[in-house]
Amino acid sequence: DSLVNLYHFDGVKLDGCGTQYDLDLWARLINKSGRPVMIENCHWGLTVPNETWCPWNFFRSGPDIRATYHGAVVHLQSTVQWAKKNLSRPGCWAYPDALEVGCANGPGGSQDTGLTAIQDRSHFGAWCIISSPLILSHDVNNDAIMDEVWPIISNREAIAVNQAWDGHSGSPFKESAQKNSQGSQTKDSQALSAV
């Protein structure tokens, strides 16, 4: 708890690539600091809550996202099981990973092609609908990227949807049945709808 107080941390990410999987112990140690700290469970959907247990504030519902629209759609779908069980809720949010708005050439290199401006808006809107923490991952020091994505990430109406809780975290209401031979959506059906 001394590090939490010494550095005035507001949040701590407990990553699944570490060796400490006892999230009860970590939550106890962090909360002993007396400082309110957001605890992120980044165990890629492997350590998950139940109706009575969730010692963190939000948890990753799947593996690392890539900067592609297909990656955004697949990761969005990883939250559905938690929404259906009402296990993505205030104090214990499921989230599909950080936003890829304004990102390209991420950990996947040239395979991380980035998203178009329309896809960026759709991606941000979808994360808002499911009440996901809106964790930005683009280069905030790059003025050109900031100018491009600012109208999206500062959209007050979308953020208001993200912050509203009405008993459900949000989930798909209609999905395309069109699939290609690899089981992913075809180019014509790759779209997210928001109402």
Side-chain angles (χ1 to χ4, degrees):
D1 78 89
S2 61
L3 287 177
V4 169
N5 284 316
L6 177 65
Y7 293 106
H8 305 286
F9 290 139
D10 293 319
V12 175
K13 176 181 179 179
L14 302 174
D15 206 308
C17 57
T19 60
Q20 296 297 328
Y21 289 100
D22 187 342
L23 294 174
D24 285 316
L25 171 65
W26 279 102
R28 250 189 337 273
L29 292 173
I30 292 166
N31 290 327
K32 260 177 56 175
S33 72
R35 180 177 175 77
V37 175
M38 294 283 285
I39 301 172
E40 174 187 354
N41 162 4
C42 184
H43 289 186
W44 313 307
L46 301 176
T47 305
V48 297
N50 60 41
E51 291 80 12
T52 61
W53 181 74
C54 185
W56 52 79
N57 301 99
F58 51 105
F59 65 99
R60 279 269 294 278
S61 55
D64 292 343
I65 194 169
R66 296 290 182 244
T68 66
Y69 194 67
H70 174 76
V73 172
V74 168
H75 280 73
L76 176 65
Q77 292 170 333
S78 74
T79 65
V80 172
Q81 64 178 317
W82 311 113
K84 285 182 178 179
K85 298 174 187 174
N86 206 28
L87 292 176
S88 181
R89 59 189 188 274
C92 189
W93 295 111
Y95 79 105
D97 202 351
L99 289 158
E100 295 300 306
V101 173
C103 293
N105 299 319
S110 62
Q111 294 179 353
D112 285 357
T113 56
L115 288 73
T116 67
I118 292 170
Q119 291 170 339
D120 275 344
R121 277 198 321 265
S122 176
H123 171 36
F124 185 79
W127 263 232
C128 286
I129 289 169
I130 64 165
S131 303
S132 174
L134 302 175
I135 302 168
L136 303 173
S137 61
H138 66 277
D139 182 354
V140 297
N141 294 310
N142 183 317
D143 291 338
I145 291 173
M146 283 301 294
D147 290 345
E148 183 181 314
V149 302
W150 186 252
I152 298 168
I153 64 173
S154 65
N155 182 317
R156 291 177 187 263
E157 291 173 343
I159 294 169
V161 167
N162 176 264
Q163 299 298 302
W165 173 253
D166 196 26
H168 191 271
S169 61
S171 60
F173 63 91
K174 186 173 185 177
E175 294 183 55
S176 171
Q178 295 179 346
K179 303 282 182 184
N180 65 24
S181 61
Q182 286 80 35
S184 59
Q185 294 184 328
T186 64
K187 182 178 181 183
D188 293 334
S189 68
Q190 278 195 339
L192 297 173
S193 298
V195 174

